[in-house]
């Protein structure tokens, strides 16, 4: 059991703005789930400006709908 776990420390890009996702204060490097706005991952800024409003719109409309 002397195997070492290989960590993938390659930068992860936001699937909305394509900028690099910065680690949060706890070290989480994978950002946010970008659904329903887009499949993939989102940076904090895109999560605030695009993903959360899309989720709230989906709740208001009775289900998650991809914005036009």
């Amino acid at each position: 059991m002397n195997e070492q776990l290989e960590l993938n420390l390659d930068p992860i890009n936001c699937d909305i703005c394509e900028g690099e996702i910065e680690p949060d204060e706890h070290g989480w490097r994978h950002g946010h789930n970008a659904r329903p706005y887009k499949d993939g991952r989102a940076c904090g800024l895109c999560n605030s400006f695009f993903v959360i409003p899309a989720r709230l719109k989906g709740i208001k409309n009775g289900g998650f709908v991809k914005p036009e």
Side-chain angles (χ1 to χ4, degrees), residues 39-58:
D39 289 336
R41 306 305 296 172
C43 66
L45 194 61
C46 288
N47 187 58
S48 296
F49 281 98
F50 301 108
V51 178
I52 292 173
R55 290 178 182 168
L56 293 174
K57 182 177 180 183

Side-chain angles (χ1 to χ4, degrees), residues 21-32 44:
I21 295 175
E22 297 293 328
D24 69 9
E25 63 273 9
H26 304 290
W28 178 251
R29 304 178 55 254
H30 302 284
H32 304 270

